[in-house]
Amino acid sequence: MGNSSVRRPYKGVFPVVPTVFDADGRLDLEGQKRAVDFMIDAGSHGLCILANFSEQFVLTDAERDLILDTVLNHVAGRVLVIVTTTHFASHICAERSRRAQQTGAAMVMVMPPYHGATVRVRESAIQEFYRTVSDAISIPIMIQDAPVAGTPMSAAFLAGMARELANISYFKIEVPQAAAKLRELIALGGEAIEGPWDGEEAITLMADLDAGATGAMTGGGYPDGIRQITDPYFAGRRDEAATAYERWLPLINYENRQCGLIACKELMKEGGVIKHETVRLPLQPLHPAVRAGLIEIASRLGPLVLRWGK
């Protein structure tokens, strides 16, 4: 199922796929497939499923497996697929990662182990956690360095794991001062840092590209817009990329600061990609005024999502 025509290192725009529900909060697998088709048509170099922006934390294990199988079978090698396999327990994360690889994933993304606001483990235990996962698979592991884990990991610690653990080679950096951390990570890790990537809905994308980021994992609503930034940047046309970033920044900012994970679903619903923008309780729908602001900003930019299904 993997796309053997795409060679490492993997670069480009790899947005997060939302998990699509019907009006009652049940999985909508046909809607899920349409969301995937739209995101591929919109220029995604690859996709990430079962991430936090996919509401992975509201899914049962059986639902996770069903989404994994459905998406990988439907993508059928058209693009690379990254599967988030985060779990606190080392062996469960390793099992999830092994299953993702067997199903056709090109990479897994894993947060450091954490639980709630206070349950954390020391660096040596984090390294053993990632060693267990790395030993279970032969595809790359992306470490998601995000505030939600509440687990500080220095650039030196991350670079050390990249040098010492076989499959630790990609890093999604979305903590404050991300660009500075990316620069330090690249300087300390050298060739072991195969993929230094930007995250957090591209809110710091230009600074992160300038720091050496080679990939962007954004929300899934407008990968065509993100490519208007990254394509010219990687082609050496920074001024063109900066102009595009300024144009898309109001939408990027609105998604990041006002809407969160539901922005992608609202845009897909507005454009006829999916039938329902449902999020599972206790998550709440957007206030009508916030939704109106999102659609107004997006309409000025004209992303494919607003016309794909119409």
Side-chain angles (χ1 to χ4, degrees):
M1 292 181 189
N3 189 339
S4 59
S5 66
V6 181
R7 295 184 177 181
R8 293 170 60 179
Y10 303 138
K11 297 181 178 181
V13 177
F14 286 70
V16 173
V17 180
T19 299
V20 181
F21 303 112
D22 66 16
D24 297 319
R26 296 183 296 258
L27 292 182
D28 176 0
L29 296 181
E30 290 307 309
Q32 191 72 60
K33 294 173 187 177
R34 284 177 60 83
V36 164
D37 288 339
F38 153 71
M39 293 172 69
I40 294 173
D41 287 350
S44 303
H45 294 102
L47 305 173
C48 178
I49 63 173
L50 298 173
N52 291 330
F53 253 46
S54 312
E55 297 173 75
Q56 60 87 13
F57 42 80
V58 302
L59 300 174
T60 68
D61 288 346
E63 288 174 329
R64 286 181 55 90
D65 287 345
L66 184 55
I67 291 168
L68 175 67
D69 292 338
T70 298
V71 171
L72 266 296
N73 286 329
H74 187 66
V75 169
R78 286 178 287 167
V79 295
L80 303 174
V81 178
I82 300 169
V83 179
T84 304
T85 57
T86 298
H87 196 281
F88 187 88
S90 303
H91 78 284
I92 296 176
C93 187
E95 289 171 1
R96 284 183 173 182
S97 300
R98 189 182 299 110
R99 190 180 189 286
Q101 178 177 332
Q102 291 169 346
T103 310
M107 187 189 308
V108 296
M109 183 167 73
V110 181
M111 298 183 71
Y114 74 100
H115 178 70
T118 60
V119 180
R120 303 292 182 274
V121 298
R122 61 188 183 276
E123 281 191 353
S124 59
I126 293 172
Q127 181 150 340
E128 284 307 306
F129 168 86
Y130 280 113
R131 186 186 304 278
T132 299
V133 179
S134 180
D135 288 348
I137 58 177
S138 58
I139 56 176
I141 297 168
M142 173 177 284
I143 294 181
Q144 183 178 4
D145 184 20
V148 68
T151 305
M153 295 183 290
S154 69
F157 177 58
L158 294 175
M161 286 199 290
R163 290 192 301 268
E164 295 174 27
L165 303 181
N167 295 310
I168 302 292
S169 49
Y170 286 76
F171 299 84
K172 182 185 178 186
I173 305 298
E174 44 190 344
V175 294
Q177 292 83 53
K181 191 165 189 176
L182 281 164
R183 283 193 180 90
E184 186 179 4
L185 177 64
I186 293 166
L188 293 174
E191 293 183 355
I193 310 301
E194 183 175 319
W197 282 20
D198 164 87
E200 203 186 358
E201 300 80 74
I203 194 72
T204 60
L205 180 57
M206 277 302 297
D208 293 346
L209 290 171
D210 285 341
T214 58
M217 187 176 290
T218 62
Y222 43 98
D224 51 326
I226 302 300
R227 282 201 59 173
Q228 291 179 27
I229 304 164
T230 58
D231 283 4
Y233 191 95
F234 293 139
R237 303 191 303 273
R238 188 190 183 282
D239 288 349
E240 181 182 337
T243 298
Y245 183 64
E246 290 174 3
R247 185 168 62 251
W248 286 91
L249 187 56
L251 183 57
I252 292 169
N253 180 74
Y254 202 84
E255 176 182 25
N256 180 266
R257 299 301 185 192
Q258 304 300 327
C259 303
L261 61 83
I262 198 172
C264 175
K265 293 185 178 186
E266 291 285 8
L267 291 171
M268 288 186 176
K269 166 72 178 307
E270 180 70 16
V273 179
I274 60 177
K275 294 180 179 179
H276 302 283
E277 73 279 23
T278 311
V279 289
R280 278 186 170 171
L281 297 173
L283 294 176
Q284 298 294 309
L286 288 184
H287 187 281
V290 175
R291 184 186 190 278
L294 173 69
I295 303 306
E296 178 186 359
I297 294 169
S299 296
R300 293 200 296 265
L301 293 163
L304 178 63
V305 68
L306 294 184
R307 60 185 186 278
W308 186 85
K310 293 182 177 179

